[in-house]
Structures are given as C-alpha cells and as structure tokens.
Amino acid sequence: MSDLHKLTIADARDKLRAKEITSVELTQSCLDAIDAADSLCAYVHKTPDLAIEAATAADARISAGDAPDMCGIPLGIKDLFCTQGVDSQAASGILKGFKPEYESTVSQKLKDAGTVMLGKLNMDEFAMGSSNETSVYGDAVNPWKVDERNLTPGGSSGGSASAVAADLCLAATGTDTGGSIRQPAAFTGIVGIKPTYGRCSRWGIVAFASSLDQAGPMTKSVRDAAIMLETMCGHDPKDSTSADIAVPNFEAMLTGDIRRKKIGIPKEYRMDGMPAEIETLWQSGTEMLRDAGAEIVDISLPHTKYALPAYYVIAPAEASSNLARYDGVRFGHRATLGAGDGITEMYEKTRAEGFGPEVQRRVMIGTYVLSAGFYDAYYNRARRVRTLIKKDFEDVFAAGVDAILTPATPSAAFGLGEMTDADPVQMYLNDVFTVTVNLAGLPGISVPAGLDAQGLPLGLQLIGRPWEEGDLLNTAYALEQSAGFVAKPNKWW
Amino acid sequence: MLDQTFETPKPKVIAGAKHDWELVIGMEVHAQVASNAKLFSGASTQFGNEPNSNVAFVDAAMPGMLPVINEFCVEQAVRTGLGLKADINLWSAFDRKNYFYPDLPQGYQISQLYHPIVGEGEVIVDMGPGVARRVRIERIHMEQDAGKSIHDMDPNMSFVDLNRTGVCLMEIVSRPDIRGPEEAAAYIAKLRQIMRYLGTCDGNMQNGNLRADVNVSICLPGAYEKFMETGDFGHLGTRCEIKNMNSMRFIQQAIEVEARRQIQIVEAGGTVDQETRLYDPDKGETRSMRSKEEAHDYRYFPDPDLLPLEIEQDWVDNIAANLPELPDEKKARFVGDFGLSEYDASVLTAEVESADFFEAVAKDRDGKLAANWVINELFGRLKKDDHDITDSPVSPEQLGGIIELITKGDISGKIAKDLFEIVYTEGGNPAEIVEARGMKQVTDTVAIEAAVDQIIADNPAQVEKAKANPKLVGWFVGQVMKATGGKANPKAVNETVSAKLGI
C-alpha cells in the first residue's frame, strides 16, 4: 500500500503538477486506506467507482494544464451535504435511502474544481451532537486511542475528523453550527475552520439551525484549510444569506508574519474546573503568539456565560421548524400504518421511528421555546443575548484587536459511551468555547497545539474579524509553525 | 383632485326578537399575486397544469433547499399598497408560521406577521350614487399559498397537489369597518376592481385566486360608534371568523346566517364563543371548525433563511409614478370630461377593459352617445352571446365609425342599430357598409321634396284633413319614410311636409 493518502493537499497538488503522481494513484491509495479502516466507521457511504472516474477526469485536466489547485484531490464529504445520486441522509433514519437529485453548492464547487469525492462521512444525526454518538450509522471512532478505550472523534463532524486524522482522505468537508468543525478538529489533532456566516452557501446542506450553520474545511494543515476554503466559499444567489463579498487568495496571505497584530485573551473563557492542561496549553499558545511578535492584550467578553443557554434555545427553535419537513409524505422514511391510522398517526409514528432521541429532544425543546406564552421568555430573550454577544466582539474588534485566542474545547477527547448516562447538558458543555463564534457569525479556527498527559491532541481556537478569514488563517499559520504539532495517531485500525 | 365627499351608508340592521342588531364585519382577503413564478421559487404559477408539475425542489421542501424572494412579487405587493393609498414599509421581514399538513411541505408557511410590507390604507366602497363606505386597511402582507389535499379520489388514500404551494398571496386585512353583507360584497368587488386595474391580481374567484376570511360580530345600535371613538373592542360583540370563501353570493349569505345565529344565542341569554367557522352553502348554515382553545399554536418566528426585505424609496416612487389611473379617478374623469352620469361612469369603469374600450370609442367623438352605445347596445349584445368585452366582435374603431355616421347625420338611429348588427355579425367598415348597401340617410332636399310632392299629389283627401288637423303631418312623414325605405332624414322630411302643407 502506498502512503500517498498521507499527503497534505498542498503537497499532493505540487506532486500532481510535477506529474510525480496521478490523481488515480492518489485516489486509489485513499480507497485502500478506507477499506482497511471500517472499524473507524468514518465513511458511511463509499463511492469508489465515482472516485476513480473523477480522478481519471482530473488527471486529464491536469495534463491539459491550467487545472485549479484542488484538481485531483480526494476528499471525504460530510453526510449533511446533498450529493446528487449519492445517499445523503444526515446520519438519520428518517432520510434512509434518500438520494438527492441535486448537488449542494459547496460540494458542486469542489466538484467543479476537479476534486474527487471518496464517499460520505459519518456525523451526529442532523449535526446534533458533540461525540458522533447520535448517528444512525453508529459511532465514528477517533483514530487516537488511550489504552484500549475507543474515544470519540467529537461531533458533529466526527466522521470527517476521524477520516482526516487517519489519512482516509486528504481533507474533508464539515459543517459547524455550534462547534461541529472546531471541536472534532481539536479532538483529532487536525485543523478546522468555520468561516464567517454567509461565506459558504448553505444551499443543499441539510439544515440544522439556519442562522448558525456554516460549512468549512477540515484539513491536515492551515495551508490546506486556506486552499480548500477558497474553493468552497463565494456568493450564491440560491442562498439569500450568502454574502456577495469577494473571495481573496487565502493561501497567498499565509506569510506567518503576525508582528504588531493584537491578540485578545478573553478572561471569561477561563472557566471554573477547567483542566490544568487546557490552561497550560492556552498559556503556551499565548506565549507562542507573543514570541512571533504579536501584542497580547487581556480583553473582556462579558456576556459569554449566557452564550451556551442562548444557543440551546435558538438552535433547537430553528431546528424544530427546519425538521418539520421530515413528515413521511414526500421522501425518506414513512412508518407502516395500522388500520384506522390517519395523518396524525402517520406523522407521529414516522417521526418517532425516524428521529433518534437527541433529535427528538431538540425538536421538543425548540417547539417549547417557540410556544405561545414562552416565546418572549426564551426565544426573544435568547435573541437579545445573541445581539449582546455580537456586540461584545464588535467592541473588542473596534478597540483594535485582530484575533482572539481561546481553548477550542474544555477537555481532550473522551471515551465513547462515557457520557451516555450523563445529563445532556454535560454534553452541551463541549460547545462552551465555540458557540459564541456561531452566535456572532464570526470566523473561528481550531489549530492543534499540543498533547495532553495521556498523549491526546488538544486544540486552540482563534476567532477573527468578520470576512477576514485570510488574516485569521495567517495568525493560525503562525501558531501552527510555533506549535510544531506533528504527532499522528498510531495505526491500530 | 378627486372629490371624495359622500354620504355614509346606513348599517344593516337585523331585527331580533328583543332588539335591533347591527353587524360589524372585518375581512382578511387573500389575493393571489399575478406573477409568472412563485414567491420563493422559479416554478410556474400557471393554473390548471398537471398535478405536481409546477414544483421546484424548494416548493417540495427537499432537504437543504432555500427560498429566494421573487422581486416581481414584492413589486406587485407594493403596487397594490400604493393603489390602496397605503403606507409602504421600506423594511419588512418574513416569519415562519409552523403547522403540520401534507399540503404544506415545509411544515411552515413563510408569511409576514411582525413586519408586513404594507401598512395602513383605505378603500372607498361605493354603495350607490353619492353614498360610499370608507374601509380602513390595517395591513397587507405577502405569504406563501399552500398546496391542495384531495381526499375524495380514493377510499384509503389522500392525494396532494403542490402546484399551488408557494404561490405568492397578498393578505389584505381590513379594520372592522364593514357594516353589512352588501357592503362586504361591495368591498371585495372594489378590491378586485382596484387590483385588476393595477394588474396585481386577476381576481378570479372561481379559481380561488381571490378568497376571504370574514370576521362577523353583532352589536346594539350605538355601540359601534363608541368603538370607533375609543378603539375599545369591548364595545363590540365576540367575533367569529368564517374561513375561506370564494363567492360573493356565499359571503353575503354566510354573514347574514352567522349574524342571525349570534343574535339568537345572545337573545337567549347565551354568549358567542370566539371560534373559526365554515359556511355550508347547501345547508345554509355556518358550523364550528375549531374553537379558540383548539386554535393552533403557530410558533411564529423570523425565518432565518431570509434576510429582512429592504426596499428603496426611489424604487417605490418609481412604481408610484407608473401606477395606472385607478377606478375612482377614472370614474370622476368620465363624469367630468364626457358629461356622463355617475351611474354610467360606474358601469363603464367597473372593468378596466370596458373603460379602455369606451375611451377608444369616445375619443374625439360624442362621449354621451358613445356611453349609450357601449352600455346599451354593445354590452347588451355581448351579454346575449355570453361574450366579454375583451372578445367583442365589434372593435372600438368600428363602433366609433357607427357613432360618427350618426353624428354626421348620415344614418338615423334606427338604421344605426341595423348597421351595428351587421358589423357585429359580419364585420367590416361601417362607412363602407352604409355606402355599399345604400343605407345612407337621404338629406338631399330635392329628393325629399320630390317624395313629399308625390305623396301630397297621391292623397288629396288626406291633405284636406291635415289642414284641419295638423297632427296628421305624422302620417305624411310616415308615408315619405316608407317610400324612401327609411333612409330619409326624419327631421328634414318633417320640415318639408309642414312647409308644403302650409301648416
């Protein structure tokens, strides 16, 4: 078996250009790796024939010259993206067998750039979860392991994180509603960026919470994130919330020079009971940026503590409405009805069978907070909190801060099944450092920055100004250079 | 400037067993926006297509599909608002109204609850010459129509047709200013007329493109005036909403029936429950659809897939500058410019097509004569054949030609009617027909004199009688007309006969 699947996008691009390798060889190497990694449960629908076909076409395009950067690069695609003619079921039983007749804008852009889709990746059902344990396909497994314990790759983009970390693709797409790119990236030692809300089109991505959802790349390096993000984003007239703002050449902005950049350290992110290792990592990240010439300033984001509750009102509210379309009438699962059952029974049985417990919980929470009599107390209050959180960030940026450094997660990856009996709120706490970014619509990136005492990866998060992903990526690049994180999981699968 | 002084009509009074009762009515009219594509998708709005053929992915609420606003629908809503003299909100927003039904694929209707595009306006509802009701408009908002569920095609299955799903509706909400069934029908008719003038809704009630929810309550005489003074709904009775009616006749019947039902309850010492009711025209009764307690909780919230709708004042001004002349203005102009009666002007402006037809006929011609011919001859003839003004076999040019021949004295009124029938059935240029078929009126005095002389010579006895009784002049005129085949100018004949007989 070749090791081509271990390449980064940037390296593979250069080798493809130099005709040292072909996309078909690269793709085959990934397909072989995928077939040997079923125990990770990262891929849930494999598309080897389509992949080889796309790789062959990409090779022809590269030979003809002027192929885009991403041409011939094999990728995994999160199951939340609708892919034409290929199962797309958001890891839910309710979309069993659903093969869309359309391609999401983001995956279409990747296709148009000549990338090769290897298959669809595992995730939490409807992107609701932080451990990939709500998937109808079963748990995706983190390639990083402690003793013989299987760990979560995080969620909801757990399959994407696992696949990238285990070199089952060169990179993967993810989506992030409250941390679903950044948290799994941190748990698996890879890079994940959630761009500014409106950067990537949401058209064709199964909706969870429309005002928070954003697609982004999950990659092996910051450079790869820059390359792939540029291909994924851009204005889409089919998504009214997509911004008509020019997309710069992000890779060209990776100078590593962050001298005189002002980096804010928010005191509210220093949580009670935060593991010392996270504190230490944050501290060392701060030192690295200072050493690279950045100015470090203490800042305050006073409404941070209200972010998680506000998020868990707004996201379920939108989800309860977005998921109303899964009713068994037109597509996906429909329950078998008994004699005398009417439309109400069809709805109830279909949705009870099709949705898992976490999705049902959030649909119920969302329905509750939007109900007459509760709307003002919950939903409207949460919206006001959201405005305040956004303003916290605006004030800090207005004061000259260029980026904010925080931990990505409150802990390293935990064991699969460990949280099964816990209060669901314990699971929601995984998003504590990431949800503010979604509520404010800002770009955020998770960069692997070290290992904990058990040898598990930990990530730091950088939060940037809206639409300045280029600048953010450059800061992340500097951090990546300083941190020098090169560890890889030992192959056990 | 339009003269808007008019008298207010008396409210409808229904005599109960104990009291006289007045009616208070408010309406929510759903008007389908005239547009080729739906409110948030490019799918066609064409009526009568194969079921489920006008359906885009977003209309079927496929996963990941997103709505994109159709700018033309926005323009139509703004145009309608301007036509109702309403405030246009430069900032409006869309909300989701959540409920489950198979013909509502998204599980929510996109509507505008909190921030509608059009604010307060008014409609002047004519109730006869010099009498009109001013009905205040509270708001107009845009929303998606639902699809159609079909329950009677199969004993075990229901079917869904999504062709209508997502078509743009304007919901026009009135204040409770309507005071009787006739006013309610006249209000809808006026809205329909205005929207047809504007081209924003075709007003086809049969196809369901215009339908209404009617809120009815009763009150004792004097209570409504107190409500108007204070704005306190406590002065009014509890209202019931009669849902989804698309016939003027049924709307009137339903209001009457519902008012009588409420009167009966109240006079028997009961209270009216606020609820939604349906009118059953076969049984002539309204019946409860759902009570206030059973009312849906629609869980409205701002649609996160759509940004707030912001429009520019310049854009609105441009639409305003290009509004067509509206019925009230047109009617006033017809009265002023052509000297028509208010009644005739109303008849001619009822439909914009009739008004345009009339204007084409009346241009540079005798307006009153043109009005008589359009209303009496043309409309009568069209009605007989079940034709519409838009498919009239007689063009304005042809009818104008006939009127010109009358005015010039080339043909008499009687001949003109024959000529009209020829033009109507056979077509052709009226002047040429008159020439070719020798229908021209004889005004040549020499010819008339010769005819008169002949009749006098042939009837010496009558001449003697006529000298004693001048009324017999008419007999001579008749004879001359007969002899000339009706083509002699009756006035000239009359004068000549009188002169020759020396009367």
Side-chain angles (χ1 to χ4, degrees):
Chain A
M1 194 200 264
S2 81
D3 276 349
L4 292 179
H5 55 285
K6 295 181 180 168
L7 291 174
T8 61
I9 292 173
D11 289 345
R13 171 191 58 187
D14 298 343
K15 288 182 190 297
L16 286 165
R17 285 277 185 293
K19 308 281 184 341
E20 287 172 35
I21 59 169
T22 67
S23 175
V24 169
E25 289 163 1
L26 184 60
T27 300
Q28 192 55 56
S29 174
C30 289
L31 291 172
D32 292 344
I34 291 167
D35 277 341
D38 284 349
S39 52
L40 293 177
C41 199
Y43 281 84
V44 291
H45 301 287
K46 300 177 189 174
T47 55
D49 295 344
L50 289 175
I52 292 298
E53 200 180 303
T56 308
D59 282 332
R61 217 169 142 185
I62 293 165
S63 294
D66 75 291
D69 270 7
M70 291 284 286
C71 191
I73 303 295
L75 302 174
I77 304 292
K78 189 177 182 181
D79 201 32
L80 202 63
F81 291 78
C82 287
T83 44
Q84 192 170 3
V86 175
D87 292 78
S88 308
Q89 64 179 87
S92 179
I94 208 150
L95 276 170
K96 193 165 168 41
F98 179 65
K99 289 186 172 67
E101 290 184 37
Y102 47 89
E103 183 81 27
S104 83
T105 298
V106 165
S107 54
Q108 185 65 51
K109 278 173 175 282
L110 290 168
K111 252 184 159 173
D112 292 346
T115 65
V116 173
M117 179 173 82
L118 298 162
K120 303 298 284 289
L121 294 167
N122 206 349
M123 55 180 279
D124 280 297
E125 183 180 6
F126 281 104
M128 298 177 190
S130 304
S131 62
N132 209 125
E133 291 172 295
T134 70
S135 168
V136 74
Y137 306 113
D139 307 346
V141 180
N142 196 330
W144 294 83
K145 213 168 187 170
V146 173
D147 308 325
E148 283 313 299
R149 270 193 317 148
N150 272 347
L151 303 180
T152 174
S156 69
S157 309
S160 302
S162 175
V164 174
D167 293 318
L168 310 181
C169 53
L170 270 60
T173 62
T175 63
D176 190 318
T177 304
S180 283
I181 286 175
R182 291 159 288 156
Q183 182 253 23
F187 277 10
T188 56
I190 64 167
V191 174
I193 180 168
K194 179 203 91 75
T196 313
Y197 183 80
R199 252 306 183 200
C200 285
S201 169
R202 293 183 297 113
W203 194 87
I205 299 173
V206 174
F208 163 13
S210 311
S211 74
L212 300 159
D213 296 344
Q214 266 296 294
M218 300 176 73
T219 59
K220 298 175 190 178
S221 71
V222 172
R223 179 173 300 279
D224 283 7
I227 297 168
M228 186 160 160
L229 179 63
E230 189 180 329
T231 306
M232 289 170 72
C233 62
H235 179 235
D236 179 7
K238 291 188 290 188
D239 174 1
S240 307
T241 63
S242 142
D244 194 357
I245 289 179
V247 179
N249 181 340
F250 293 128
E251 191 187 5
M253 296 171 82
L254 303 181
T255 60
D257 181 0
I258 56 164
R259 281 172 298 174
R260 284 175 304 280
K261 290 281 178 196
K262 209 184 250 190
I263 307 295
I265 308 297
K267 62 175 187 215
E268 289 80 7
Y269 282 60
R270 192 156 284 117
M271 301 273 174
D272 284 345
M274 192 161 79
E277 284 175 314
I278 301 289
E279 176 72 47
T280 309
L281 179 81
W282 192 9
Q283 195 55 47
S284 68
T286 307
E287 294 310 323
M288 288 177 210
L289 292 174
R290 196 199 308 275
D291 291 348
E295 183 191 344
I296 305 297
V297 290
D298 287 329
I299 58 166
S300 173
L301 298 165
H303 297 93
T304 300
K305 65 176 168 188
Y306 304 114
L308 200 63
Y311 173 84
Y312 275 97
V313 169
I314 290 170
E318 293 181 11
S320 71
S321 177
N322 282 336
L323 268 57
R325 65 189 56 198
Y326 306 104
D327 57 6
V329 175
R330 300 168 313 287
F331 47 76
H333 176 70
R334 180 193 291 181
T336 308
L337 299 182
D341 280 353
I343 185 67
T344 307
E345 289 78 12
M346 181 173 126
Y347 287 148
E348 287 174 356
K349 291 183 179 178
T350 297
R351 290 165 67 83
E353 291 171 11
F355 290 142
E358 183 60 27
V359 171
Q360 292 187 23
R361 172 164 28 245
R362 298 205 197 186
V363 167
M364 283 191 284
I365 292 171
T367 303
Y368 180 83
V369 299
L370 289 176
S371 302
F374 300 105
Y375 182 83
D376 282 327
Y378 292 101
Y379 184 73
N380 257 346
R381 184 172 297 178
R383 284 181 80 202
R384 286 200 298 275
V385 168
R386 184 175 189 174
T387 306
L388 293 172
I389 286 168
K390 205 170 169 205
K391 183 154 184 311
D392 281 354
F393 284 106
E394 283 164 3
D395 291 347
V396 164
F397 290 134
V401 167
D402 295 293
I404 297 161
L405 183 74
T406 78
T409 58
S411 71
F414 48 89
L416 285 165
E418 269 178 21
M419 303 277 270
T420 311
D421 299 323
D423 183 329
V425 173
Q426 287 304 312
M427 188 67 94
Y428 299 167
L429 284 171
N430 266 287
D431 302 331
V432 69
F433 299 130
T434 47
V435 288
T436 50
V437 176
N438 299 79
L439 289 170
L442 301 171
I445 186 167
S446 174
V447 181
L451 297 173
D452 74 356
Q454 294 176 289
L456 292 178
L458 294 172
L460 285 173
Q461 171 179 241
L462 283 161
I463 304 166
R465 297 164 176 267
W467 314 114
E468 293 191 7
E469 288 87 354
D471 195 50
L472 178 67
L473 283 159
N474 185 44
T475 307
Y477 181 63
L479 182 64
E480 182 186 49
Q481 302 290 99
S482 303
F485 184 91
V486 291
K488 283 280 199 179
N490 293 319
K491 188 172 181 310
W492 54 265
W493 56 88
Chain B
M1 197 56 209
L2 197 56
D3 178 16
Q4 287 204 333
T5 54
F6 45 77
E7 278 182 44
T8 302
K10 293 219 169 359
K12 164 103 176 175
V13 174
I14 297 180
K18 297 177 180 165
H19 303 284
D20 279 352
W21 295 92
E22 287 182 8
L23 276 61
V24 179
I25 299 158
M27 291 175 94
E28 290 163 21
V29 172
H30 292 89
Q32 181 178 323
V33 166
S35 66
N36 295 326
K38 295 181 178 183
L39 179 54
F40 296 114
S41 86
S44 165
T45 59
Q46 184 71 42
F47 182 81
N49 282 358
E50 278 287 297
N52 297 311
S53 60
N54 298 352
V55 187
F57 290 133
V58 67
D59 302 321
M62 301 302 278
M65 294 298 96
L66 297 172
V68 176
I69 187 96
N70 177 345
E71 187 181 317
F72 183 70
C73 291
V74 179
E75 189 180 326
Q76 291 286 60
V78 168
R79 191 173 284 124
T80 304
L82 292 169
L84 302 184
K85 318 258 184 288
D87 304 330
I88 305 300
N89 296 322
L90 298 181
W91 194 97
S92 67
F94 290 96
D95 304 296
R96 291 185 183 178
K97 176 181 180 177
N98 295 282
Y99 66 95
F100 280 92
Y101 208 67
D103 60 24
L104 187 76
Q106 293 169 144
Y108 53 84
Q109 176 195 36
I110 306 178
S111 182
Q112 296 190 299
L113 175 71
Y114 298 110
H115 302 283
I117 184 151
V118 178
E120 296 191 337
E122 67 171 28
V123 179
I124 305 300
V125 182
D126 312 290
M127 297 305 298
V131 183
R133 173 76 67 192
R134 184 192 305 271
V135 177
R136 293 167 300 160
I137 301 296
E138 186 185 319
R139 56 186 281 158
I140 304 176
H141 63 256
M142 292 183 280
E143 62 184 26
Q144 296 177 298
D145 203 351
K148 194 165 83 178
S149 295
I150 305 150
H151 301 297
D152 54 4
M153 272 172 68
D154 184 287
N156 299 314
M157 305 259 265
S158 286
F159 294 86
V160 176
D161 177 4
L162 300 181
N163 280 359
R164 231 196 160 94
T165 304
V167 166
C168 180
L169 301 179
M170 293 179 283
E171 181 170 327
I172 305 167
V173 182
S174 86
R175 300 275 182 198
D177 292 353
I178 301 162
R179 306 301 314 282
E182 298 78 17
E183 286 184 26
Y187 167 71
I188 294 228
K190 188 62 180 279
L191 275 185
R192 179 178 181 277
Q193 182 192 29
I194 292 170
M195 290 189 291
R196 283 176 55 83
Y197 267 64
L198 294 167
T200 57
C201 171
D202 71 10
N204 188 330
M205 297 186 80
Q206 218 166 14
N207 291 354
N209 296 354
L210 189 64
R211 45 196 204 262
D213 301 340
V214 185
N215 285 285
V216 180
S217 69
I218 53 164
C219 67
L220 291 170
Y224 185 77
E225 286 69 22
K226 281 186 199 150
F227 158 71
M228 286 298 268
E229 242 169 66
T230 60
D232 178 2
F233 279 87
H235 293 293
L236 304 180
T238 304
R239 69 192 151 86
C240 288
E241 183 182 33
I242 314 166
K243 274 275 182 209
N244 213 20
M245 287 186 287
N246 64 345
S247 140
M248 304 253 200
R249 194 158 58 91
F250 292 161
I251 287 171
Q252 295 187 67
Q253 288 172 4
I255 291 171
E256 178 99 24
V257 162
E258 174 59 18
R260 288 186 187 279
R261 184 187 74 88
Q262 293 181 13
I263 290 168
Q264 219 165 29
I265 292 172
V266 174
E267 291 201 336
T271 51
V272 174
D273 293 327
Q274 185 178 333
E275 59 183 0
T276 304
R277 300 180 70 84
L278 284 176
Y279 178 62
D280 181 342
D282 296 331
K283 292 189 177 149
E285 61 179 32
T286 65
R287 62 166 173 270
S288 182
M289 192 173 142
R290 54 176 180 257
S291 70
K292 197 181 174 185
E293 287 70 36
E294 292 166 312
H296 289 129
D297 181 350
Y298 290 120
R299 292 170 281 123
Y300 278 99
F301 76 107
D303 191 325
D305 284 334
L306 292 159
L307 299 174
L309 181 58
E310 293 182 60
I311 53 177
E312 305 279 336
Q313 187 61 49
D314 284 354
W315 188 70
V316 175
D317 291 345
N318 189 40
I319 296 171
N322 291 297
L323 278 193
E325 186 180 34
L326 290 170
D328 290 343
E329 284 84 5
K330 201 182 279 288
K331 191 172 114 184
R333 186 166 61 80
F334 281 8
V335 171
D337 289 6
F338 296 111
L340 306 189
S341 70
E342 203 187 314
Y343 177 80
D344 282 357
S346 293
V347 172
L348 289 171
T349 54
E351 298 284 348
V352 70
E353 291 85 358
S354 311
D356 290 347
F357 194 102
F358 162 74
E359 279 213 76
V361 175
K363 189 167 188 290
D364 300 328
R365 301 189 182 107
D366 181 334
K368 275 187 171 170
L369 192 59
N372 281 337
W373 273 85
V374 171
I375 294 170
N376 300 320
E377 301 306 322
L378 180 64
F379 285 180
R381 191 67 180 82
L382 290 173
K383 196 167 180 198
K384 200 170 135 197
D385 282 2
D386 211 15
H387 271 310
D388 204 76
I389 190 73
T390 52
D391 54 12
S392 167
V394 178
S395 71
E397 292 69 34
Q398 288 172 313
L399 186 55
I402 294 174
I403 285 165
E404 275 169 25
L405 291 168
I406 300 171
T407 325
K408 276 197 286 183
D410 281 0
I411 55 170
S412 65
K414 187 181 167 300
I415 294 285
K417 289 185 186 183
D418 297 340
L419 175 61
F420 174 80
E421 188 58 27
I422 294 168
V423 173
Y424 186 94
T425 48
E426 300 171 25
N429 178 313
E432 284 167 15
I433 293 170
V434 165
E435 203 61 53
R437 305 197 186 181
M439 295 166 79
K440 206 161 185 180
Q441 187 161 253
V442 179
T443 41
D444 174 357
T445 37
V446 178
I448 291 173
E449 269 179 43
V452 173
D453 287 344
Q454 187 64 47
I455 300 292
I456 288 175
D458 290 351
N459 297 284
Q462 287 293 87
V463 172
E464 284 314 306
K465 280 188 196 169
K467 283 182 174 164
N469 178 10
K471 280 186 182 166
L472 280 175
V473 166
W475 182 85
F476 283 92
V477 173
Q479 293 299 307
V480 174
M481 293 305 286
K482 206 165 157 185
T484 57
K487 287 179 290 182
N489 183 325
K491 199 170 158 240
V493 173
N494 218 319
E495 283 163 8
T496 313
V497 169
S498 299
K500 294 267 175 188
L501 293 175
I503 312 169

